[in-house]
Structures are given as C-alpha cells and as structure tokens.
Amino acid sequence: MKRERATRLLADMITRLEVGGWPLGLVEEVYVFGSYARGALEPNDVDVDELFLLWRKGEPFSLARERLSSLSADPEAEPAPRDHMLAEFEGLESLVPRPARIELFGRHMKGKINITPLRLLDGDIEDPEAVRHVRRRWVETSPLRRAATCALVALEQRGVDLGEVTLHGQRLFGRDQPAERCFVDLGWNGFGSMGRLLDSGVTWLEVLRPHRTKPMDALLIESAPRT
C-alpha cells in the first residue's frame, strides 16, 4: 500500500484509541515496526506491535500523533520481505494470509504437498447437476457464484469428477456420492479444515479473492506422491 494510506490507517487507529471503549480500553501500548517504521514509500502492510513506540497508556494522544509525524518517508527504504514465502506465491503475496502461508510453507518444505498457481478463466460448467447446484446457492451477481463456476470449470478441464467435489462446504450432488477427493474453497472461508483434509489426501483448490468482474487467481494444492 502507499505510505500515505498507511499513515491514515495509523492516525485513525490513534483516534479510535482516544475514543476508548471495549476492547480498545485494554490496550496498554502500541508500537510500529517493519518497513513502515523504516520509512518505505510503499510498505507491504502496517506492522503494529513492537520496536517503535507510538503510544503508551496514560500518555496524551497528541504525543502519539507527534511520534507518528516523526516517522518520515525514506525513498531508499525497501518493503520488508515476507516470511514463509514460496515461489508459488510470487505476485499473490497479498492474497495469501500469513496463517495460510505458514501452513502451506511448512507442508511444502517437508515435501508433503505440491502447489500450482492458476489463473481462473470464465466458462461454462459441463455437468448440469453442478450448474443447478451453483445457481441454487448464489444469485447471478454474486462474486461467489462466479468464483465457484470458474473453479469447477478448471477442475472439469483437469478431468476431475465433480461428484467427488465439495464446493465451499457443501457436496455438489445428492446421496450416494463418491468419496470426497477435492475441496473448493472461496476466499479462505474453510481454512480451518485445510490441515485435516490435506492430511487425508484431499486436493484443495483455493480461489484467493472472489470477484464479480476482475481476474481471479487460485492455488491448487495436492498431496505430493510418496517416494
């Protein structure tokens, strides 16, 4: 993000702390660190935790604003490198939350999974029952409907049996379905189940940021073949 926007976010945070109320009244200290504190013109994000003291409970909030103003821009400062990065996340860093990066990085480094970045394309689902399922769950203008459609089109093109797919928490078809082989998640909604399903050998397709019109990216996460 631009430094100016990051500064506005921090200033807004100070104002909210000044207003008080629960749970902000529990905050004792606020620190800023990372690329913003070093003066980067385009920090990856705003790291609020430690190193540069912004405010301490009992201090006037005017002092916090003075400290914020003292963090001047430095054209030579670079954004801090993100941790737990893989080549497969290149260009998608802002779309993969840190807990997901940690989980996938660990599994990938242990050789447990393969990750394939995908650019999803608009198209038509071939399976009529899957089409009905998607239309029943989401209205035509929903970003989730488009994300689900693009994801299922990509799976069909890869030869996946949609009868083995769970889409955003629901199996696609009715009773007497085959075993679950693939889980399609839209916008990290099902992240809490990722570890368990990957451990059981289920393939995971994560649509990173569903959108009505913009291009959408996804990560296809598959169990690595045992050697």
Side-chain angles (χ1 to χ4, degrees):
M1 70 176 74
K2 298 293 185 181
R3 185 175 184 84
E4 293 78 9
R5 180 168 182 267
T7 301
R8 287 197 301 271
L9 291 173
L10 287 169
D12 290 344
M13 180 190 66
I14 293 171
T15 299
R16 292 196 299 273
L17 286 168
E18 187 173 22
V19 172
W22 192 91
L24 297 178
L26 302 176
V27 177
E28 297 286 339
E29 295 179 337
V30 176
Y31 293 80
V32 177
F33 71 109
S35 52
Y36 180 88
R38 297 200 310 275
L41 299 182
E42 295 191 16
N44 288 323
D45 48 23
V46 180
D47 302 306
V48 178
D49 186 17
E50 58 186 352
L51 295 187
F52 183 88
L53 178 65
L54 195 62
W55 176 80
R56 178 179 288 122
K57 194 168 187 176
E59 294 180 340
F61 286 95
S62 58
L63 180 57
R65 294 185 176 95
E66 289 177 11
R67 288 172 177 156
L68 178 59
S69 298
S70 73
L71 289 170
S72 57
D74 179 3
E76 301 300 319
E78 296 291 334
R82 292 185 183 269
D83 56 1
H84 300 94
M85 277 297 296
L86 297 170
E88 290 79 3
F89 299 156
E90 192 69 35
L92 306 173
E93 300 95 324
S94 63
L95 303 180
V96 184
R98 190 168 184 270
R101 290 205 312 272
I102 293 173
E103 175 78 20
L104 297 175
F105 180 89
R107 290 174 177 273
H108 188 272
M109 295 304 291
K110 293 176 182 177
K112 292 183 176 181
I113 58 172
N114 294 323
I115 304 174
T116 305
L118 301 177
R119 170 56 60 90
L120 298 180
L121 301 176
D122 290 300
D124 296 321
I125 304 169
E126 295 181 4
D127 191 295
E129 193 167 352
V131 172
R132 289 192 292 270
H133 177 100
V134 171
R135 289 178 178 175
R136 184 178 67 252
R137 290 181 67 181
W138 297 290
V139 298
E140 186 174 2
T141 56
S142 170
L144 296 182
R145 178 165 171 172
R146 178 171 176 250
T149 300
C150 292
L152 295 182
V153 167
L155 291 177
E156 284 187 324
Q157 291 174 346
R158 288 176 165 266
V160 175
D161 180 356
L162 298 190
E164 300 176 341
V165 172
T166 296
L167 174 61
H168 205 53
Q170 293 185 20
R171 295 298 298 269
L172 278 178
F173 303 154
R175 298 178 179 178
D176 301 323
Q177 302 175 91
E180 180 182 33
R181 300 297 182 191
C182 181
F183 189 100
V184 177
D185 191 37
L186 310 178
W188 301 105
N189 182 72
F191 174 68
S193 301
M194 175 183 280
R196 173 178 59 82
L197 292 177
L198 290 177
D199 285 340
S200 65
V202 173
T203 294
W204 188 282
L205 179 62
E206 183 67 47
V207 182
L208 301 179
R209 182 177 293 172
H211 199 279
R212 287 180 56 191
T213 57
K214 292 183 179 180
M216 292 183 296
D217 293 289
L219 295 177
L220 182 65
I221 306 156
E222 302 170 285
S223 297
R226 296 183 178 180
T227 56

